[in-house]
Amino acid sequence: MSKAQQFRIKGLARIIYYVLGIRPDEFCLIPDKDGFVSIKELIQALHEEADTAYVRESHLREICWSSDRELFEIDGNRIRASERRWDFKEVPLDSAPKILYAAVRKKAHAVAVEKGLFSSGERLIALSPVRETALRMGNRRDPDPVVIEVMAETGRRHGLRFFGFGSMILCREIPPEFIAGPPVPQDHLEKAKAGAAEGKRQEQRTAQAQQQAGSFLLDLARDPDPARKIKGRKQRGWKEDARRFRRDKAM
């Protein structure tokens, strides 16, 4: 490996260590409880900066084979700094900005307005007091996201809990009454309603299929139990048919 290449790798390692180990919030990255972020998200964040727009996953793995490999740990599709100078504790903030911003996918706009925002597993909702920052995060998931406003201080007074992470603010759920933003276009609203109706019909079909699973119709004529009696008039045997034939012939 040439000295120029070694110098380039070492410089990139210093940048990535700053991103993962010192200020992930500055790059709108929210690590999990173990300090990991997905490699995909890290590369998206690096591509937003002119100096690191060239970085690919191969460059990250190249660093992990270099003399700076002890700085990072890669676990499947995740990466973290081995030593981190930041920490996250779920200590509720005593106050919150009046308005915070979040970006949602266009397809999720109607659901967010109607039902609110909810965290997914350990992944908390990332909010920002700066609209452009929220838009930056939203562009990673949707080329044309919708930025909504969260009435944070009002929500906090009504029991919502917000947590600080550097310049970011995190929350586990935001009910719809604390969300404001652009109205949902009529066609998107109709699609959302149609999707909800179809989902309900599918649930009903599934429930009906589960109820019918293993059921069958009884055929009493094929009952193998000879002692079982069938209610109603006893059926005619061949002797009755023969006597009836003789009577009709005599007449």
Side-chain angles (χ1 to χ4, degrees), residues 17-63:
Y17 178 75
Y18 178 82
V19 174
L20 297 178
I22 300 177
R23 290 297 305 275
D25 62 288
E26 187 177 319
F27 296 82
C28 304
L29 292 172
I30 310 298
D32 65 16
K33 61 183 180 63
D34 297 316
F36 284 101
V37 302
S38 75
I39 291 176
K40 178 180 178 181
E41 284 184 301
L42 173 60
I43 291 175
Q44 286 177 324
L46 293 173
H47 284 183
E48 293 165 357
E49 306 293 330
D51 293 340
T52 52
Y54 69 91
V55 176
R56 299 292 183 269
E57 183 174 344
S58 59
H59 295 103
L60 302 182
R61 298 190 180 277
E62 190 176 12
I63 290 173

